Amino acid sequence: MKPDYKNWMPKGMVTGSAIGAGISILLLIVFGCTPLLSSVGAKTVLTIIFAIISVFLVGMTIWMFLMYRAFSYNGKRKMSKQIIEGIAEYVHLPELGCGLDVGCGSGALTIACAKRNPNASLVGIDRWGKEYASFNKALCVNNSIAEGVNNTTFRQGNALNLDFEDEVFDAVISNYVYHNIPSSDRQKILLETLRTLKKGGTFVIHDIMSKAKYGDMEAFVKKLRSMGYEKVELIDTTNGLFMTPFEAKWMGLSGSKILMGRK
């Protein structure tokens, strides 16, 4: 049995875009190259419309396919695996400690950290929404079994309102989650996550922390330090750590950073 961590770019989205492009090109041919319409004006307008739509959908399909190939755990680039293992390297739990993975998806980061901390336990939570229908609790459990990991637990959860008391975890982790949550204040979501961290616990959170999505993160780092957090830093992951600047740009991942430190 092999783990199946899926792909951040769902195959169904790539297929759907390709089908849409194919239909659009077919309609372009129908309206542009056949005498289906007697009106020259209508024929011209429809030809232009479907030409624009076709170019857009073909470009989108190519972009999605390249994303799918780059993020595939079975492909050559294996960016997802590189990111997951790279984050896990920063996560060190005490013996019998417990960590929380917010937005665990297919369980990849939860399991990677559990493997590196066999004498601790990891809890992975996710809302597992319809946007990523192939990601669910059963998938996470099966992936843990496939990896031979027995120190993980998975449950439904909401990052905006975590169902945990204050200061219960020795580490909190997350990967590419918060930017997907509609919010005008993602720094507030970070504070909700950090609320569950024990005094002395560590946090490692990776996301697209651009100013447009998160506001001034340098100011947020200073805020955390003023609140008593220690060794707080932002690590750019687009400078070759997880990806090249060019990859980050064309993939739409510019601004990717790790926020890490200790409470």
Side-chain angles (χ1 to χ4, degrees), residues 103-104 125-131 135 155-159 181:
C104 62
I125 67 162
D126 203 300
R127 60 184 289 270
W128 292 303
K130 61 182 180 180
E131 306 94 319
F135 291 71
R155 55 186 285 186
Q156 197 93 21
N158 183 354
I181 302 174

Side-chain angles (χ1 to χ4, degrees), residues 30-204:
V30 169
F31 289 117
C33 304
T34 65
L36 189 62
L37 293 175
S38 57
S39 172
V40 176
K43 182 176 183 178
T44 301
V45 170
L46 288 172
T47 298
I48 292 173
I49 290 174
F50 283 108
I52 293 172
I53 294 174
S54 296
V55 170
F56 172 78
L57 289 178
V58 168
M60 183 62 69
T61 301
I62 293 172
W63 178 78
M64 286 182 174
F65 173 75
L66 292 175
M67 288 281 282
Y68 180 85
R69 188 173 67 173
F71 285 130
S72 174
Y73 270 79
N74 301 315
K76 183 178 179 180
R77 178 63 179 85
K78 297 182 180 179
M79 183 178 285
S80 292
K81 184 176 182 180
Q82 181 182 352
I83 292 173
I84 291 298
E85 293 184 351
I87 296 171
E89 288 182 3
Y90 292 104
V91 182
H92 305 285
L93 287 163
E95 189 164 349
L96 301 182
C98 186
L100 172 67
D101 179 12
V102 180
C104 62
S106 61
L109 181 57
T110 315
I111 293 168
C113 292
K115 290 172 74 174
R116 287 179 173 273
N117 297 272
N119 296 319
S121 61
L122 274 294
V123 177
I125 67 162
D126 203 300
R127 60 184 289 270
W128 292 303
K130 61 182 180 180
E131 306 94 319
Y132 289 88
S134 61
F135 291 71
N136 50 60
K137 179 179 177 180
L139 175 66
C140 295
V141 172
N142 289 336
N143 284 336
S144 285
I145 295 172
E147 293 280 15
V149 170
N150 58 11
N151 56 333
T152 57
T153 303
F154 299 97
R155 55 186 285 186
Q156 197 93 21
N158 183 354
L160 296 175
N161 185 22
L162 295 172
D163 189 23
F164 300 104
E165 300 293 330
D166 295 351
E167 301 187 1
V168 294
F169 294 104
D170 298 285
V172 290
I173 58 178
S174 186
N175 179 47
Y176 280 147
V177 173
Y178 304 118
H179 76 275
N180 287 313
I181 302 174
S183 176
S184 59
D185 189 356
R186 291 188 175 88
Q187 294 183 13
K188 183 178 179 180
I189 304 176
L190 291 175
L191 290 175
E192 169 62 9
T193 296
L194 296 177
R195 173 186 65 77
T196 67
L197 188 62
K198 289 180 181 179
K199 183 67 177 177
T202 58
F203 56 94
V204 184

